[in-house]
């Protein structure tokens, strides 16, 4: 089963999911825990969706490599590369926040 990882722009939140979006691993730096809980949860969910889309792309590539015809692939509902790229661009513009401080704890 393909899995994929998505990371926040700052690198302080990382999520690994299955292609269905089920989180396998979530890593959150301590500084992120000071954020509003709703915002943090929203960011984690957004990253889960992003990772799931990427895992879906990996599954699609596996099926294409195995010779599955394009019409059958369309029926699977797996994302196409251009759809995932477009969605990630929209999400980056809408949801990415600038860090509250450029300084990071070491």
């Amino acid at each position: 089963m393909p899995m994929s990882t998505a990371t926040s722009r700052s690198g302080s939140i990382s999520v690994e999911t299955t292609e269905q979006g089920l989180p396998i691993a979530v890593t959150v730096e301590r500084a992120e825990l000071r954020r509003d809980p709703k915002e943090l949860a929203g960011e984690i969910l957004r990253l889960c969706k992003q990772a799931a889309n990427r895992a879906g792309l990996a599954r699609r590539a596996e099926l294409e490599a195995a010779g599955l015809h394009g019409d059958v692939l369309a029926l699977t509902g797996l994302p196409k590369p251009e759809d995932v790229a477009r969605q990630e661009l929209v999400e980056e513009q809408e949801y990415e926040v600038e860090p509250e401080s450029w300084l990071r704890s070491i």
Side-chain angles (χ1 to χ4, degrees), residues 45-77:
L45 289 174
R46 185 186 72 76
L47 291 171
C48 283
K49 182 178 178 182
Q50 188 177 75
N53 284 336
R54 292 175 182 175
L57 282 179
R59 171 70 73 193
R60 184 182 192 94
E62 287 176 1
L63 295 174
E64 284 177 332
L68 200 62
H69 191 269
D71 293 341
V72 178
L73 272 175
L75 295 173
T76 66

Side-chain angles (χ1 to χ4, degrees), residues 10-73:
S10 67
S12 58
I13 303 171
S14 179
V15 177
E16 182 179 7
T17 71
T18 65
E19 64 189 86
Q20 289 82 26
L22 178 66
I24 302 299
V26 177
T27 304
V28 180
E29 286 185 5
R30 184 173 299 248
E32 289 293 330
L33 298 176
R34 292 187 211 121
R35 289 176 60 180
D36 176 80
K38 283 185 177 181
E39 288 178 16
L40 179 58
E43 179 71 2
I44 290 170
L45 289 174
R46 185 186 72 76
L47 291 171
C48 283
K49 182 178 178 182
Q50 188 177 75
N53 284 336
R54 292 175 182 175
L57 282 179
R59 171 70 73 193
R60 184 182 192 94
E62 287 176 1
L63 295 174
E64 284 177 332
L68 200 62
H69 191 269
D71 293 341
V72 178
L73 272 175

Side-chain angles (χ1 to χ4, degrees), residues 9-12 32 35 96-104:
R9 186 186 324 188
S10 67
S12 58
E32 289 293 330
R35 289 176 60 180
E96 291 288 343
V97 294
E98 295 297 326
E100 293 177 18
S101 170
W102 292 103
L103 302 174
R104 288 184 61 182

